[in-house]
Amino acid sequence: MEEKKKFDFNTIIGFGLIFIIIMWMMYNNRNTELKEQQEKAKKEKIEKQQQQKQVAVKQVAAVIKDSTVNDTMKLQKLKGTLGSFAYSATLPSAKEEVTTLENEFIRLKIANKGGYIVEAILKNYERFEKKSGQLVELIKDNNSSFNLQLQTKDNRVLNTKDLFFEPTLTKVGVNQVLSMKLKAGANEFLEFKYVLAPNQYLVDFDLRSQGLNTVLNTAKPIDLQWDLKTYRNEKSISYENRYAEIYFEHEDGKIDYVGQGTDKEENPEKTTYIAYKQHFFTSILLTKTPFATAKLYSNNLVNDEKKDTLFTKQYKATLPLAFTNGELDYKMNWYYGPTDYKTLKKYDRNIEKIVPLGWGIFGWINKFIFIPLFGFLSSFMGLGIAIIVFTILIKIAMSPITFKSFLSQAKMKVLRPEIMEIGEKFQKDPMKKQQETMKLYNKAGVNPMAGCIPALIQIPFMYASFQFFPSAFELRQKGFLWADDLSSFDAVYSWETHIPIISSIYGNHISLFPILAAIAIFFYMKMTSGDQVMAQPQQEGMPDMAKIMKIMIYVSPVMMLLFFNSYGSGLSLYNFISNLITIGIMLVIKKYFINSDKIHAQIQENKTKPKTESKFQKKMREMMEQAEEQKKLQQKKKK
């Protein structure tokens, strides 16, 4: 008998799903192809536009150089490319020449082509290769560009970096004044005006237009583009690069930064300055009229310290310039100089905040204690000696806190036998053990937290030093003993061979100050870890402190060696002296100020005196009693 054929709905659904998936894949592939084609077309269009611009620039240059053509004919030929700005290309200043502005601190060269600074040299500072006598050059060999992208009414897009400005250098009082004008006619122009005063790193920079409202499209802002590839200036390029990044200020005075790494971007609003910060030198563009928006970009150029030895960072900024009544009018400043807190602060423009001194209390310690004190000491003694004296003064000021910490440890050590006795007596009742321990502390007049609080007070000072020394400009290229530069590592031995893992973590050199600091830390922890473990009784369910402290004795020095080998030797010197002084203070306190027998007698005397509970102690006791009652009730319910 022939079986009846039935519809297999599962099969139909399966085929339907397969069909849908195939169609989706075909559609998705088609979309991907279309996107790729669109991206390719877009890329080709951009490349074509760039080629056309390059050709146009070459054509303009060829026309300008052609001495057989008179000015009238030149103007007619150039108008097809430059429009109204062809006028500027026919002037005698349409040559690739520069004008120099110079004072006691800086030397600037401003090019006719583009009207911007093409060379900025700091006259009082040398690069890390001191023997060569090469000065710090923030701008040179086309590592920087400054451009305004002009939109004309006849739909041309012109870049000021490709056009010629007419320079006029004058002197007003003691100031040098350079006017660079990109002319569209006798009285129509875009002007960059630079004013350099004596003994200043800050340059006045006025950017304005006159009569260009009939030439330019003023309906929307034009883009200011400022690019800079920062040159290496210090001995360790990786250490220098660690402190290089873009900072910017909001209109309300708040400072922020773009961040480090590869392809970092930020789009802040209402910015009043953009700072291209290197470790010890900075290029800053300030404006009195905040930029409505900004597009900031930072890229790390050091991937291999052995190969990438010329540049540290690539910085870019795109800033819109709005028209006012059809014209541009911006009062700005350029700063090319050291990233020195005191130098930056004297300009009263909030730019000293680009120096990373730490946030909150750490920044206050640096601003109001470390910077004034170290500045005073370094004004009349060598930098290495100043660090030692500075460290001694800080440790002496902290010695009362150190004394309280050691005294608390000594008291806890004396009480340890009684605490252990309570622990054994109430081994099966942790709550009761805790209550009895608290009663013992109260009777003896001992605060178990007294040893921790002094240590916590010292932490902000320690952290502040980690911010202060890498930012201390005074240390740059100042030697002490075997260290030729206290702002960089103090290598006593180095090698060229790359050793996997070791070279990436430790480096290709051995610094001596971190070794000395590590030895000092080892002996300090060796001397104090026993007392700390003896002072703190082992709590049930808690980690074995003796084992942890034993491990830390060896881990801490190793961490010091690994992390500080490539750090500035000034910081390592500070840590070495700091630990050395702490060991000395500890030995003096133990020998002359702390007597275990006297402490024991005092504790026994305290036990006989009536004690009144503080509010905190009363609250803790009540909480423990409540917890004990709840525990008893739960045990009754279970029975």
Side-chain angles (χ1 to χ4, degrees), residues 409-441:
Q409 288 178 18
K411 287 180 179 179
M412 292 293 292
K413 186 178 178 181
V414 169
L415 281 179
R416 183 175 172 81
E418 295 182 56
I419 294 170
M420 291 182 69
E421 186 180 335
I422 292 172
E424 290 175 4
K425 184 177 180 180
F426 300 101
Q427 190 173 5
K428 295 182 180 180
D429 192 346
M431 185 64 69
K432 188 67 176 175
K433 181 176 72 174
Q434 190 68 21
Q435 288 176 342
E436 292 300 318
T437 303
M438 292 297 291
K439 285 180 183 178
L440 175 63
Y441 288 150

PDB file of all heavy atoms in Angstrom, residues 409-441:
ATOM      1  N   GLN A 409      53.764  51.167  67.788  1.00  0.00           N
ATOM      2  CA  GLN A 409      54.204  49.795  67.531  1.00  0.00           C
ATOM      3  C   GLN A 409      54.799  49.168  68.788  1.00  0.00           C
ATOM      4  O   GLN A 409      54.576  47.980  69.076  1.00  0.00           O
ATOM      5  CB  GLN A 409      55.232  49.779  66.401  1.00  0.00           C
ATOM      6  CG  GLN A 409      54.659  50.063  65.021  1.00  0.00           C
ATOM      7  CD  GLN A 409      55.718  50.086  63.938  1.00  0.00           C
ATOM      8  OE1 GLN A 409      56.821  49.584  64.134  1.00  0.00           O
ATOM      9  NE2 GLN A 409      55.396  50.690  62.803  1.00  0.00           N
ATOM     10  N   ALA A 410      55.567  49.962  69.538  1.00  0.00           N
ATOM     11  CA  ALA A 410      56.182  49.466  70.774  1.00  0.00           C
ATOM     12  C   ALA A 410      55.112  49.089  71.799  1.00  0.00           C
ATOM     13  O   ALA A 410      55.219  48.059  72.491  1.00  0.00           O
ATOM     14  CB  ALA A 410      57.124  50.515  71.353  1.00  0.00           C
ATOM     15  N   LYS A 411      54.080  49.907  71.922  1.00  0.00           N
ATOM     16  CA  LYS A 411      52.987  49.621  72.864  1.00  0.00           C
ATOM     17  C   LYS A 411      52.243  48.342  72.470  1.00  0.00           C
ATOM     18  O   LYS A 411      51.915  47.513  73.316  1.00  0.00           O
ATOM     19  CB  LYS A 411      52.004  50.793  72.897  1.00  0.00           C
ATOM     20  CG  LYS A 411      52.534  52.024  73.621  1.00  0.00           C
ATOM     21  CD  LYS A 411      51.504  53.146  73.603  1.00  0.00           C
ATOM     22  CE  LYS A 411      52.008  54.375  74.345  1.00  0.00           C
ATOM     23  NZ  LYS A 411      51.005  55.475  74.315  1.00  0.00           N
ATOM     24  N   MET A 412      51.999  48.195  71.186  1.00  0.00           N
ATOM     25  CA  MET A 412      51.311  47.000  70.711  1.00  0.00           C
ATOM     26  C   MET A 412      52.166  45.752  70.940  1.00  0.00           C
ATOM     27  O   MET A 412      51.645  44.669  71.237  1.00  0.00           O
ATOM     28  CB  MET A 412      50.990  47.148  69.224  1.00  0.00           C
ATOM     29  CG  MET A 412      49.955  48.220  68.909  1.00  0.00           C
ATOM     30  SD  MET A 412      48.314  47.816  69.542  1.00  0.00           S
ATOM     31  CE  MET A 412      47.889  46.430  68.509  1.00  0.00           C
ATOM     32  N   LYS A 413      53.478  45.904  70.812  1.00  0.00           N
ATOM     33  CA  LYS A 413      54.392  44.780  71.039  1.00  0.00           C
ATOM     34  C   LYS A 413      54.349  44.340  72.499  1.00  0.00           C
ATOM     35  O   LYS A 413      54.361  43.144  72.815  1.00  0.00           O
ATOM     36  CB  LYS A 413      55.806  45.201  70.640  1.00  0.00           C
ATOM     37  CG  LYS A 413      56.816  44.069  70.689  1.00  0.00           C
ATOM     38  CD  LYS A 413      58.184  44.556  70.227  1.00  0.00           C
ATOM     39  CE  LYS A 413      59.219  43.456  70.312  1.00  0.00           C
ATOM     40  NZ  LYS A 413      60.570  43.919  69.885  1.00  0.00           N
ATOM     41  N   VAL A 414      54.282  45.323  73.428  1.00  0.00           N
ATOM     42  CA  VAL A 414      54.203  45.018  74.859  1.00  0.00           C
ATOM     43  C   VAL A 414      52.895  44.303  75.185  1.00  0.00           C
ATOM     44  O   VAL A 414      52.852  43.387  76.016  1.00  0.00           O
ATOM     45  CB  VAL A 414      54.341  46.317  75.682  1.00  0.00           C
ATOM     46  CG1 VAL A 414      54.000  46.083  77.150  1.00  0.00           C
ATOM     47  CG2 VAL A 414      55.758  46.874  75.557  1.00  0.00           C
ATOM     48  N   LEU A 415      51.820  44.706  74.546  1.00  0.00           N
ATOM     49  CA  LEU A 415      50.499  44.113  74.807  1.00  0.00           C
ATOM     50  C   LEU A 415      50.293  42.761  74.124  1.00  0.00           C
ATOM     51  O   LEU A 415      49.316  42.062  74.418  1.00  0.00           O
ATOM     52  CB  LEU A 415      49.391  45.059  74.328  1.00  0.00           C
ATOM     53  CG  LEU A 415      49.034  46.245  75.232  1.00  0.00           C
ATOM     54  CD1 LEU A 415      47.948  47.082  74.584  1.00  0.00           C
ATOM     55  CD2 LEU A 415      48.567  45.770  76.601  1.00  0.00           C
ATOM     56  N   ARG A 416      51.174  42.397  73.207  1.00  0.00           N
ATOM     57  CA  ARG A 416      50.965  41.190  72.405  1.00  0.00           C
ATOM     58  C   ARG A 416      50.737  39.922  73.249  1.00  0.00           C
ATOM     59  O   ARG A 416      49.819  39.147  72.947  1.00  0.00           O
ATOM     60  CB  ARG A 416      52.140  40.991  71.457  1.00  0.00           C
ATOM     61  CG  ARG A 416      51.963  39.789  70.537  1.00  0.00           C
ATOM     62  CD  ARG A 416      53.100  39.695  69.533  1.00  0.00           C
ATOM     63  NE  ARG A 416      53.028  38.459  68.777  1.00  0.00           N
ATOM     64  CZ  ARG A 416      52.241  38.250  67.736  1.00  0.00           C
ATOM     65  NH1 ARG A 416      51.445  39.212  67.319  1.00  0.00           N
ATOM     66  NH2 ARG A 416      52.226  37.086  67.117  1.00  0.00           N
ATOM     67  N   PRO A 417      51.521  39.672  74.337  1.00  0.00           N
ATOM     68  CA  PRO A 417      51.273  38.453  75.131  1.00  0.00           C
ATOM     69  C   PRO A 417      49.842  38.395  75.684  1.00  0.00           C
ATOM     70  O   PRO A 417      49.207  37.327  75.674  1.00  0.00           O
ATOM     71  CB  PRO A 417      52.301  38.550  76.255  1.00  0.00           C
ATOM     72  CG  PRO A 417      53.398  39.398  75.691  1.00  0.00           C
ATOM     73  CD  PRO A 417      52.699  40.396  74.824  1.00  0.00           C
ATOM     74  N   GLU A 418      49.336  39.524  76.165  1.00  0.00           N
ATOM     75  CA  GLU A 418      47.980  39.552  76.716  1.00  0.00           C
ATOM     76  C   GLU A 418      46.939  39.358  75.619  1.00  0.00           C
ATOM     77  O   GLU A 418      45.910  38.713  75.834  1.00  0.00           O
ATOM     78  CB  GLU A 418      47.741  40.876  77.450  1.00  0.00           C
ATOM     79  CG  GLU A 418      48.625  41.058  78.690  1.00  0.00           C
ATOM     80  CD  GLU A 418      48.334  42.362  79.420  1.00  0.00           C
ATOM     81  OE1 GLU A 418      47.163  42.572  79.793  1.00  0.00           O
ATOM     82  OE2 GLU A 418      49.270  43.161  79.599  1.00  0.00           O
ATOM     83  N   ILE A 419      47.206  39.925  74.449  1.00  0.00           N
ATOM     84  CA  ILE A 419      46.275  39.763  73.322  1.00  0.00           C
ATOM     85  C   ILE A 419      46.230  38.306  72.880  1.00  0.00           C
ATOM     86  O   ILE A 419      45.153  37.756  72.586  1.00  0.00           O
ATOM     87  CB  ILE A 419      46.686  40.670  72.149  1.00  0.00           C
ATOM     88  CG1 ILE A 419      46.527  42.141  72.539  1.00  0.00           C
ATOM     89  CG2 ILE A 419      45.833  40.393  70.917  1.00  0.00           C
ATOM     90  CD1 ILE A 419      47.116  43.109  71.545  1.00  0.00           C
ATOM     91  N   MET A 420      47.406  37.651  72.868  1.00  0.00           N
ATOM     92  CA  MET A 420      47.460  36.234  72.495  1.00  0.00           C
ATOM     93  C   MET A 420      46.740  35.373  73.528  1.00  0.00           C
ATOM     94  O   MET A 420      46.086  34.386  73.183  1.00  0.00           O
ATOM     95  CB  MET A 420      48.909  35.796  72.354  1.00  0.00           C
ATOM     96  CG  MET A 420      49.617  36.408  71.146  1.00  0.00           C
ATOM     97  SD  MET A 420      51.314  35.851  70.951  1.00  0.00           S
ATOM     98  CE  MET A 420      51.057  34.141  70.491  1.00  0.00           C
ATOM     99  N   GLU A 421      46.860  35.763  74.789  1.00  0.00           N
ATOM    100  CA  GLU A 421      46.171  35.035  75.859  1.00  0.00           C
ATOM    101  C   GLU A 421      44.650  35.131  75.678  1.00  0.00           C
ATOM    102  O   GLU A 421      43.930  34.137  75.838  1.00  0.00           O
ATOM    103  CB  GLU A 421      46.582  35.622  77.210  1.00  0.00           C
ATOM    104  CG  GLU A 421      46.037  34.858  78.405  1.00  0.00           C
ATOM    105  CD  GLU A 421      46.481  35.472  79.723  1.00  0.00           C
ATOM    106  OE1 GLU A 421      47.531  36.150  79.753  1.00  0.00           O
ATOM    107  OE2 GLU A 421      45.766  35.275  80.713  1.00  0.00           O
ATOM    108  N   ILE A 422      44.166  36.327  75.341  1.00  0.00           N
ATOM    109  CA  ILE A 422      42.722  36.510  75.074  1.00  0.00           C
ATOM    110  C   ILE A 422      42.313  35.662  73.874  1.00  0.00           C
ATOM    111  O   ILE A 422      41.242  35.035  73.862  1.00  0.00           O
ATOM    112  CB  ILE A 422      42.410  37.994  74.827  1.00  0.00           C
ATOM    113  CG1 ILE A 422      42.598  38.801  76.115  1.00  0.00           C
ATOM    114  CG2 ILE A 422      40.990  38.175  74.287  1.00  0.00           C
ATOM    115  CD1 ILE A 422      42.507  40.311  75.925  1.00  0.00           C
ATOM    116  N   GLY A 423      43.164  35.622  72.863  1.00  0.00           N
ATOM    117  CA  GLY A 423      42.860  34.847  71.662  1.00  0.00           C
ATOM    118  C   GLY A 423      42.716  33.372  71.946  1.00  0.00           C
ATOM    119  O   GLY A 423      41.831  32.704  71.394  1.00  0.00           O
ATOM    120  N   GLU A 424      43.581  32.844  72.818  1.00  0.00           N
ATOM    121  CA  GLU A 424      43.509  31.428  73.175  1.00  0.00           C
ATOM    122  C   GLU A 424      42.289  31.137  74.065  1.00  0.00           C
ATOM    123  O   GLU A 424      41.639  30.104  73.935  1.00  0.00           O
ATOM    124  CB  GLU A 424      44.794  31.016  73.909  1.00  0.00           C
ATOM    125  CG  GLU A 424      46.020  30.993  72.993  1.00  0.00           C
ATOM    126  CD  GLU A 424      47.298  30.703  73.744  1.00  0.00           C
ATOM    127  OE1 GLU A 424      47.224  30.445  74.981  1.00  0.00           O
ATOM    128  OE2 GLU A 424      48.380  30.750  73.123  1.00  0.00           O
ATOM    129  N   LYS A 425      41.997  32.078  74.958  1.00  0.00           N
ATOM    130  CA  LYS A 425      40.886  31.885  75.893  1.00  0.00           C
ATOM    131  C   LYS A 425      39.536  31.867  75.174  1.00  0.00           C
ATOM    132  O   LYS A 425      38.646  31.076  75.507  1.00  0.00           O
ATOM    133  CB  LYS A 425      40.917  33.000  76.947  1.00  0.00           C
ATOM    134  CG  LYS A 425      39.862  32.848  78.037  1.00  0.00           C
ATOM    135  CD  LYS A 425      40.023  33.951  79.075  1.00  0.00           C
ATOM    136  CE  LYS A 425      38.968  33.814  80.168  1.00  0.00           C
ATOM    137  NZ  LYS A 425      39.102  34.893  81.195  1.00  0.00           N
ATOM    138  N   PHE A 426      39.391  32.761  74.179  1.00  0.00           N
ATOM    139  CA  PHE A 426      38.112  32.865  73.456  1.00  0.00           C
ATOM    140  C   PHE A 426      38.288  32.418  71.990  1.00  0.00           C
ATOM    141  O   PHE A 426      37.767  33.041  71.080  1.00  0.00           O
ATOM    142  CB  PHE A 426      37.600  34.298  73.508  1.00  0.00           C
ATOM    143  CG  PHE A 426      37.355  34.801  74.902  1.00  0.00           C
ATOM    144  CD1 PHE A 426      38.281  35.628  75.532  1.00  0.00           C
ATOM    145  CD2 PHE A 426      36.220  34.423  75.605  1.00  0.00           C
ATOM    146  CE1 PHE A 426      38.070  36.094  76.818  1.00  0.00           C
ATOM    147  CE2 PHE A 426      35.989  34.900  76.894  1.00  0.00           C
ATOM    148  CZ  PHE A 426      36.931  35.728  77.512  1.00  0.00           C
ATOM    149  N   GLN A 427      39.034  31.331  71.825  1.00  0.00           N
ATOM    150  CA  GLN A 427      39.336  30.859  70.474  1.00  0.00           C
ATOM    151  C   GLN A 427      38.081  30.480  69.697  1.00  0.00           C
ATOM    152  O   GLN A 427      37.998  30.683  68.486  1.00  0.00           O
ATOM    153  CB  GLN A 427      40.273  29.659  70.568  1.00  0.00           C
ATOM    154  CG  GLN A 427      40.849  29.232  69.225  1.00  0.00           C
ATOM    155  CD  GLN A 427      41.905  28.158  69.395  1.00  0.00           C
ATOM    156  OE1 GLN A 427      42.148  27.665  70.487  1.00  0.00           O
ATOM    157  NE2 GLN A 427      42.540  27.796  68.297  1.00  0.00           N
ATOM    158  N   LYS A 428      37.071  29.950  70.412  1.00  0.00           N
ATOM    159  CA  LYS A 428      35.854  29.494  69.751  1.00  0.00           C
ATOM    160  C   LYS A 428      34.772  30.575  69.691  1.00  0.00           C
ATOM    161  O   LYS A 428      33.682  30.305  69.176  1.00  0.00           O
ATOM    162  CB  LYS A 428      35.308  28.259  70.478  1.00  0.00           C
ATOM    163  CG  LYS A 428      36.244  27.062  70.388  1.00  0.00           C
ATOM    164  CD  LYS A 428      35.646  25.851  71.088  1.00  0.00           C
ATOM    165  CE  LYS A 428      36.585  24.655  70.994  1.00  0.00           C
ATOM    166  NZ  LYS A 428      36.021  23.455  71.684  1.00  0.00           N
ATOM    167  N   ASP A 429      35.078  31.727  70.208  1.00  0.00           N
ATOM    168  CA  ASP A 429      34.095  32.816  70.216  1.00  0.00           C
ATOM    169  C   ASP A 429      34.763  34.104  69.711  1.00  0.00           C
ATOM    170  O   ASP A 429      35.201  34.939  70.521  1.00  0.00           O
ATOM    171  CB  ASP A 429      33.544  33.018  71.628  1.00  0.00           C
ATOM    172  CG  ASP A 429      32.310  33.921  71.643  1.00  0.00           C
ATOM    173  OD1 ASP A 429      32.068  34.591  70.611  1.00  0.00           O
ATOM    174  OD2 ASP A 429      31.611  33.968  72.667  1.00  0.00           O
ATOM    175  N   PRO A 430      34.857  34.289  68.378  1.00  0.00           N
ATOM    176  CA  PRO A 430      35.551  35.457  67.798  1.00  0.00           C
ATOM    177  C   PRO A 430      34.985  36.789  68.263  1.00  0.00           C
ATOM    178  O   PRO A 430      35.729  37.741  68.466  1.00  0.00           O
ATOM    179  CB  PRO A 430      35.355  35.275  66.283  1.00  0.00           C
ATOM    180  CG  PRO A 430      35.095  33.828  66.100  1.00  0.00           C
ATOM    181  CD  PRO A 430      34.353  33.380  67.326  1.00  0.00           C
ATOM    182  N   MET A 431      33.638  36.855  68.442  1.00  0.00           N
ATOM    183  CA  MET A 431      33.020  38.110  68.856  1.00  0.00           C
ATOM    184  C   MET A 431      33.459  38.500  70.265  1.00  0.00           C
ATOM    185  O   MET A 431      33.793  39.660  70.534  1.00  0.00           O
ATOM    186  CB  MET A 431      31.508  37.990  68.789  1.00  0.00           C
ATOM    187  CG  MET A 431      30.769  39.284  69.096  1.00  0.00           C
ATOM    188  SD  MET A 431      31.099  40.579  67.871  1.00  0.00           S
ATOM    189  CE  MET A 431      30.251  39.891  66.451  1.00  0.00           C
ATOM    190  N   LYS A 432      33.487  37.512  71.168  1.00  0.00           N
ATOM    191  CA  LYS A 432      33.904  37.763  72.532  1.00  0.00           C
ATOM    192  C   LYS A 432      35.383  38.134  72.582  1.00  0.00           C
ATOM    193  O   LYS A 432      35.800  39.018  73.357  1.00  0.00           O
ATOM    194  CB  LYS A 432      33.649  36.506  73.389  1.00  0.00           C
ATOM    195  CG  LYS A 432      33.874  36.704  74.886  1.00  0.00           C
ATOM    196  CD  LYS A 432      32.859  37.643  75.495  1.00  0.00           C
ATOM    197  CE  LYS A 432      33.025  37.749  77.003  1.00  0.00           C
ATOM    198  NZ  LYS A 432      32.105  38.757  77.584  1.00  0.00           N
ATOM    199  N   LYS A 433      36.162  37.472  71.736  1.00  0.00           N
ATOM    200  CA  LYS A 433      37.592  37.774  71.678  1.00  0.00           C
ATOM    201  C   LYS A 433      37.813  39.227  71.255  1.00  0.00           C
ATOM    202  O   LYS A 433      38.656  39.926  71.826  1.00  0.00           O
ATOM    203  CB  LYS A 433      38.271  36.823  70.694  1.00  0.00           C
ATOM    204  CG  LYS A 433      39.780  37.054  70.574  1.00  0.00           C
ATOM    205  CD  LYS A 433      40.442  36.028  69.673  1.00  0.00           C
ATOM    206  CE  LYS A 433      40.091  36.249  68.225  1.00  0.00           C
ATOM    207  NZ  LYS A 433      40.858  35.331  67.333  1.00  0.00           N
ATOM    208  N   GLN A 434      37.017  39.669  70.294  1.00  0.00           N
ATOM    209  CA  GLN A 434      37.146  41.051  69.815  1.00  0.00           C
ATOM    210  C   GLN A 434      36.749  42.036  70.902  1.00  0.00           C
ATOM    211  O   GLN A 434      37.406  43.075  71.089  1.00  0.00           O
ATOM    212  CB  GLN A 434      36.278  41.240  68.561  1.00  0.00           C
ATOM    213  CG  GLN A 434      36.491  42.541  67.825  1.00  0.00           C
ATOM    214  CD  GLN A 434      37.867  42.611  67.165  1.00  0.00           C
ATOM    215  OE1 GLN A 434      38.494  41.596  66.918  1.00  0.00           O
ATOM    216  NE2 GLN A 434      38.340  43.815  66.889  1.00  0.00           N
ATOM    217  N   GLN A 435      35.676  41.699  71.646  1.00  0.00           N
ATOM    218  CA  GLN A 435      35.217  42.580  72.721  1.00  0.00           C
ATOM    219  C   GLN A 435      36.268  42.703  73.824  1.00  0.00           C
ATOM    220  O   GLN A 435      36.557  43.817  74.303  1.00  0.00           O
ATOM    221  CB  GLN A 435      33.912  42.039  73.313  1.00  0.00           C
ATOM    222  CG  GLN A 435      32.711  42.213  72.402  1.00  0.00           C
ATOM    223  CD  GLN A 435      31.458  41.584  72.990  1.00  0.00           C
ATOM    224  OE1 GLN A 435      31.521  40.752  73.901  1.00  0.00           O
ATOM    225  NE2 GLN A 435      30.310  41.959  72.452  1.00  0.00           N
ATOM    226  N   GLU A 436      36.849  41.589  74.208  1.00  0.00           N
ATOM    227  CA  GLU A 436      37.848  41.599  75.272  1.00  0.00           C
ATOM    228  C   GLU A 436      39.125  42.314  74.831  1.00  0.00           C
ATOM    229  O   GLU A 436      39.779  42.999  75.628  1.00  0.00           O
ATOM    230  CB  GLU A 436      38.180  40.156  75.701  1.00  0.00           C
ATOM    231  CG  GLU A 436      37.043  39.443  76.390  1.00  0.00           C
ATOM    232  CD  GLU A 436      36.600  40.150  77.661  1.00  0.00           C
ATOM    233  OE1 GLU A 436      37.483  40.612  78.429  1.00  0.00           O
ATOM    234  OE2 GLU A 436      35.388  40.261  77.896  1.00  0.00           O
ATOM    235  N   THR A 437      39.464  42.154  73.562  1.00  0.00           N
ATOM    236  CA  THR A 437      40.654  42.850  73.040  1.00  0.00           C
ATOM    237  C   THR A 437      40.446  44.353  73.075  1.00  0.00           C
ATOM    238  O   THR A 437      41.353  45.109  73.454  1.00  0.00           O
ATOM    239  CB  THR A 437      40.944  42.397  71.588  1.00  0.00           C
ATOM    240  OG1 THR A 437      41.114  40.987  71.558  1.00  0.00           O
ATOM    241  CG2 THR A 437      42.203  43.055  71.055  1.00  0.00           C
ATOM    242  N   MET A 438      39.234  44.805  72.678  1.00  0.00           N
ATOM    243  CA  MET A 438      38.925  46.237  72.708  1.00  0.00           C
ATOM    244  C   MET A 438      38.951  46.774  74.139  1.00  0.00           C
ATOM    245  O   MET A 438      39.412  47.896  74.391  1.00  0.00           O
ATOM    246  CB  MET A 438      37.556  46.488  72.086  1.00  0.00           C
ATOM    247  CG  MET A 438      37.486  46.233  70.578  1.00  0.00           C
ATOM    248  SD  MET A 438      38.567  47.331  69.639  1.00  0.00           S
ATOM    249  CE  MET A 438      37.742  48.898  69.864  1.00  0.00           C
ATOM    250  N   LYS A 439      38.476  45.948  75.117  1.00  0.00           N
ATOM    251  CA  LYS A 439      38.514  46.357  76.525  1.00  0.00           C
ATOM    252  C   LYS A 439      39.957  46.523  76.992  1.00  0.00           C
ATOM    253  O   LYS A 439      40.283  47.455  77.737  1.00  0.00           O
ATOM    254  CB  LYS A 439      37.807  45.315  77.394  1.00  0.00           C
ATOM    255  CG  LYS A 439      36.294  45.362  77.289  1.00  0.00           C
ATOM    256  CD  LYS A 439      35.667  44.298  78.190  1.00  0.00           C
ATOM    257  CE  LYS A 439      34.145  44.292  78.042  1.00  0.00           C
ATOM    258  NZ  LYS A 439      33.541  43.210  78.892  1.00  0.00           N
ATOM    259  N   LEU A 440      40.828  45.604  76.558  1.00  0.00           N
ATOM    260  CA  LEU A 440      42.237  45.681  76.943  1.00  0.00           C
ATOM    261  C   LEU A 440      42.871  46.954  76.395  1.00  0.00           C
ATOM    262  O   LEU A 440      43.604  47.650  77.122  1.00  0.00           O
ATOM    263  CB  LEU A 440      42.982  44.450  76.413  1.00  0.00           C
ATOM    264  CG  LEU A 440      44.505  44.448  76.638  1.00  0.00           C
ATOM    265  CD1 LEU A 440      44.829  44.439  78.127  1.00  0.00           C
ATOM    266  CD2 LEU A 440      45.139  43.244  75.940  1.00  0.00           C
ATOM    267  N   TYR A 441      42.582  47.260  75.118  1.00  0.00           N
ATOM    268  CA  TYR A 441      43.119  48.490  74.527  1.00  0.00           C
ATOM    269  C   TYR A 441      42.658  49.718  75.319  1.00  0.00           C
ATOM    270  O   TYR A 441      43.442  50.646  75.571  1.00  0.00           O
ATOM    271  CB  TYR A 441      42.646  48.633  73.073  1.00  0.00           C
ATOM    272  CG  TYR A 441      43.291  47.666  72.104  1.00  0.00           C
ATOM    273  CD1 TYR A 441      42.593  47.221  70.982  1.00  0.00           C
ATOM    274  CD2 TYR A 441      44.585  47.201  72.291  1.00  0.00           C
ATOM    275  CE1 TYR A 441      43.170  46.336  70.083  1.00  0.00           C
ATOM    276  CE2 TYR A 441      45.171  46.323  71.396  1.00  0.00           C
ATOM    277  CZ  TYR A 441      44.466  45.884  70.288  1.00  0.00           C
ATOM    278  OH  TYR A 441      45.031  45.028  69.404  1.00  0.00           O
TER     279      TYR A 441
END
